[in-house]
Amino acid sequence: MATATETATVWRGPGVYSADELSLEQYHADIVPGGSLSSSGARALLDPGCPAQFDYDRRQPQLPKKEFEIGTAVHSVLLGSGADLVVVDAEMWNTKAIKAEVADIRADGHIPLKPSDMQQVADMVAAVRAHPVAGPLFTPGSGTPEQSLYWIDPDTGVTCRVRPDWLKHLPDLTLCVDYKTAVKADPEAVSKAIAERGYHQQDAFYIDGIQQVLGLPARFLFVFQSKTAPYLITVRELSDADRAIGRAKNQRALRIYAECTKTGIWPDWTGPTDSIPYISLPTWAATREAEEYLK
């Protein structure tokens, strides 16, 4: 959560905040008095997460993960917004001096990169620019990067927030283009990632937020890029049926968040109970083993 000073100097109510006005760190710290719910928060409240874990995690400072630095670096160059990239002129970061330099760069909020990593970032951005679909979507100057949008959910009264990667405004329509890097970016892998990471919830949450704040119809487009050369790209739009599932999950998460905020009780997976619940094997395991052993 943000400090009282940060909240007092930044928060001015629901609406649009530019990337210059509100940093990514402030966005994640949550500048809203009393708290707000993001798409990732809505996903964390539901299985396999739970309110207790969500409440703990949001109160802890989240350190940047080193394995995400390449993706974050590509994101920054592609969108022209985000952390500065600093090349450390060494391919091996195993000396005390280099480790200290890398630590200082990260402490300053920048991304340290090896020369080969910087070349990879440049090659990945070039692949996006050359892609027949993704390239025009991210044409420099044709969209707005990393705006933060805040609104009040009409059903629960919960303050919600999103930070779209790239908003491309067309006549009577806003395109929300979401860029993700992945180990695999083929359509089957993308489909699995959407299911496993709840990206259908993100899709619905962002569309609803954009329409609430900007008052225009919105479409959400996924741009997945492989982190392995030649850095192939898959661009997809979610089906209406899958988006409806994501929206229904978001609505449940909003109700849970509203209730937990009201009561101050953030339960774990089990919740209050006087008995020890039963647990079962996964359906696939029970079916397979029953066929083999219960003959």
Side-chain angles (χ1 to χ4, degrees):
M1 304 292 286
T3 66
T5 300
E6 288 172 332
T7 299
T9 56
V10 177
W11 176 247
R12 55 174 168 74
V16 181
Y17 295 72
S18 70
D20 291 335
E21 184 179 7
L22 188 70
S23 70
L24 182 62
E25 291 73 23
Q26 288 174 308
Y27 173 81
H28 285 309
D30 196 354
I31 63 170
V32 179
S36 63
L37 187 64
S38 66
S39 167
S40 59
R43 286 174 269 165
L45 283 165
L46 303 180
D47 290 337
C50 67
Q53 189 68 55
F54 161 83
D55 186 48
Y56 175 83
D57 289 344
R58 68 175 177 159
R59 298 177 188 279
Q60 309 307 310
Q62 300 295 310
L63 297 176
K65 296 184 178 180
K66 298 176 184 178
E67 62 266 30
F68 295 156
E69 285 183 333
I70 290 291
T72 303
V74 178
H75 185 281
S76 296
V77 176
L78 181 64
L79 304 183
S81 175
D84 292 330
L85 313 185
V86 179
V87 177
V88 178
D89 193 17
E91 287 296 335
M92 299 295 291
W93 291 359
N94 54 0
T95 68
K96 186 175 180 180
I98 293 294
K99 289 179 180 179
E101 180 183 354
V102 169
D104 288 342
I105 292 170
R106 289 187 175 125
D108 289 337
H110 308 315
I111 299 176
L113 295 172
K114 299 173 183 177
S116 59
D117 291 336
M118 191 65 204
Q119 184 60 55
Q120 179 181 346
V121 169
D123 291 344
M124 291 179 71
V125 172
V128 175
R129 299 289 185 216
H131 192 272
V133 179
L137 288 174
F138 287 114
T139 298
S142 71
T144 306
E146 297 196 314
Q147 288 181 316
S148 297
L149 311 183
Y150 292 82
W151 75 99
I152 307 297
D153 176 61
D155 295 326
T156 62
V158 169
T159 301
C160 302
R161 71 184 194 271
V162 295
R163 191 176 174 95
D165 284 347
W166 187 255
L167 290 181
K168 192 177 182 74
H169 300 293
L170 305 176
D172 301 321
L173 176 68
T174 298
L175 295 181
C176 179
V177 190
D178 189 74
Y179 173 78
K180 300 181 189 298
T181 58
V183 175
K184 294 182 178 181
D186 60 276
E188 182 177 358
V190 168
S191 179
K192 289 180 180 178
I194 290 171
E196 292 173 356
R197 300 179 185 179
Y199 290 151
H200 52 318
Q201 282 187 255
Q202 180 193 10
D203 179 302
F205 205 88
Y206 274 56
I207 284 179
D208 292 348
I210 292 166
Q211 293 180 167
Q212 284 279 345
V213 177
L214 301 181
L216 288 173
R219 291 170 59 188
F220 189 98
L221 304 178
F222 292 101
V223 177
F224 278 79
Q225 184 174 28
S226 169
K227 291 188 286 187
T228 303
Y231 312 117
L232 300 177
I233 295 163
T234 294
V235 181
R236 291 292 186 270
E237 185 172 11
L238 198 64
S239 71
D240 290 339
D242 291 340
R243 183 177 301 111
I245 295 171
R247 182 170 288 116
K249 295 184 74 171
N250 290 336
Q251 290 167 347
R252 179 177 296 182
L254 281 161
R255 292 193 297 270
I256 291 171
Y257 181 87
E259 179 65 19
C260 292
T261 301
K262 178 181 177 181
T263 63
I265 299 172
W266 300 83
D268 60 16
W269 301 279
T270 305
T273 181
D274 295 327
S275 61
I276 299 175
Y278 287 104
I279 193 166
S280 302
L281 293 170
T283 301
W284 61 267
T287 300
R288 184 187 66 189
E289 295 193 5
E291 289 176 352
E292 182 174 356
Y293 295 103
L294 299 181
K295 295 180 180 179

